[in-house]
Amino acid sequence: MRKPLIAGNWKMYKTSDQAVKLASGIKGSLKSFETADVVLCPAFTVLNAVYNVISDSSLQLGAQDLFWEKEGAFTGEVSPIMLKDCGCEYVIIGHSERRKYFHETDETINKKIKAALDVGLKPIVCVGETLEEREAGKTIEVIKHQLTGCFAGFNIEDMLNVTIAYEPVWAIGTGKNATALQAEEAHRFIRTFIVEKFSQGVANTIRILYGGSVKPANIKELLNEKDVDGALVGGASLEVSSFVDIVKNSI
Ligand code: PGA
C-alpha cells in the first residue's frame, strides 16, 4: 500500500510573514497527522522561514525548481545543495509553467532530476498534456514522450526516490479538474511505462500524484482510483482550511 503524498505548490505567492502564517496554520491543524506525507513547496525566498516553522513536525519542505550545477557563475540560479541546506527534502521539477514560460525541455528536466537525486533530494517530476493535445487524441503519446526524455539514463535505484505528478495543463488553475477516470487512465499508463522501463517493484513503490484544480471536494474521488497516490495542489494550498481539508480527505 503506497502512503498518500499531498504537496502544496505555493508558486509565486506569499511574503515571509504570510508564509510563516500559512505554515503555522497548517502545522497547527495537522498535529500528529501521520496518514499521509505532507510537503510544503514555498518560493526560494521563504524556504528557511517555513523550515523553521515545520522542522519539529511531520510536515516536509520542498522547493519548486533547481539548477543542475553544484555551484558557479550562474546568476539567479539555486543549486541542489543550497536547497538541502535550507532543509528541503523534495523538489518539484518540470512543472508545466516552467516548461511554458521558461522553455524547460525534457532534456533540461532530465539534468535537474539527476542533480536532485545526486544530493538526496526527492524530485516530484511533472508531466501532462495541453488541451490541444488531449483534443487531438495525443494524451498518452505526449506523456510517453515526456517520461522517456525525463527519465533517460536512470536506473531502478534512482527511480525508487522519484515521485511523478500527472498534471494535465488544461486543469491547472482553471477550476476544471480531470475526472477520476481521466486521471486513472493517465496514471495507469504511467505505471505500466515504469514496469516496462524499470521494474514491477519500482512501479509498485513509486507514487503518482494528480495535479490540476484539486479541492477538498474532489480529492476523495480522485484518490479512490487505484493508481492515484496523492496530489500536487496549487491554488487550494494557499489557504490553511482548504489545504488541511484536502489532506484530511486524503485518507
Ligand atoms: P492548481 O495548480 O491546483 O491551482 O490547479 C496545480 C499545480 O500547478 O501544481
Side-chain angles (χ1 to χ4, degrees):
M1 196 43 195
R2 294 175 291 270
K3 190 176 183 183
L5 190 161
I6 308 293
N9 173 10
W10 294 3
K11 306 194 180 186
M12 201 176 72
Y13 292 98
K14 307 293 175 189
T15 58
S16 46
D17 284 357
Q18 294 167 337
V20 164
K21 203 168 161 216
L22 177 56
S24 308
I26 293 169
K27 176 172 129 173
S29 307
L30 292 177
K31 265 198 198 101
S32 70
F33 187 90
E34 306 268 313
T35 350
D37 287 331
V38 181
V39 182
L40 307 184
C41 304
F44 290 140
T45 49
V46 295
L47 283 172
N48 258 321
V50 172
Y51 180 74
N52 289 337
V53 174
I54 65 173
S55 59
D56 63 348
S57 75
S58 60
L59 300 173
Q60 294 174 288
L61 189 67
Q64 299 173 19
D65 186 29
L66 47 56
F67 188 52
W68 56 77
E69 293 289 346
K70 287 193 174 66
E71 61 179 7
F74 302 102
T75 302
E77 294 298 323
V78 175
S79 80
I81 290 168
M82 292 167 177
L83 297 186
K84 285 285 283 189
D85 188 47
C86 288
C88 289
E89 290 177 60
Y90 286 85
V91 57
I92 299 169
I93 299 181
H95 190 280
S96 63
E97 286 150 16
R98 301 230 39 103
R99 292 175 185 259
K100 182 175 174 195
Y101 300 118
F102 305 100
H103 313 295
E104 295 208 8
T105 63
D106 294 330
E107 205 183 2
T108 57
I109 292 164
N110 177 280
K111 286 189 189 186
K112 291 184 173 190
I113 301 169
K114 184 165 188 331
L117 291 170
D118 279 351
V119 300
L121 282 167
K122 295 177 192 149
I124 300 175
V125 181
C126 304
V127 296
E129 80 288 358
T130 62
L131 184 59
E132 209 180 15
E133 289 162 342
R134 173 163 285 268
E135 284 175 347
K138 290 187 175 159
T139 300
I140 295 298
E141 189 186 316
V142 167
I143 299 172
K144 185 176 179 184
H145 191 267
Q146 291 172 334
L147 293 171
T148 306
C150 290
F151 297 121
F154 290 114
N155 59 35
I156 288 177
E157 211 180 303
D158 294 327
M159 294 305 289
L160 289 170
N161 291 310
V162 166
T163 299
I164 297 174
Y166 167 62
E167 298 209 304
V169 178
W170 48 272
I172 296 176
T174 58
K176 189 182 168 213
N177 62 290
T179 63
L181 228 63
Q182 285 171 324
E184 174 60 14
E185 194 184 16
H187 285 228
R188 194 184 316 123
F189 169 75
I190 294 169
R191 209 174 299 283
T192 309
F193 176 94
I194 300 294
V195 175
E196 285 167 8
K197 288 276 181 207
F198 298 98
S199 71
Q200 185 67 54
V202 176
N204 291 344
T205 310
I206 202 164
R207 288 185 286 197
I208 307 174
L209 315 182
Y210 167 78
S213 299
V214 172
K215 300 177 214 74
N218 60 23
I219 183 73
K220 256 200 166 49
E221 196 189 351
L222 288 158
L223 277 176
N224 271 341
E225 296 296 335
K226 190 167 142 281
D227 292 298
V228 180
D229 306 315
L232 182 54
V233 186
S237 74
L238 298 173
E239 297 288 336
V240 175
S241 60
S242 46
F243 187 66
V244 164
D245 285 350
I246 288 172
V247 173
K248 289 189 173 164
N249 288 351
S250 73
I251 52 166

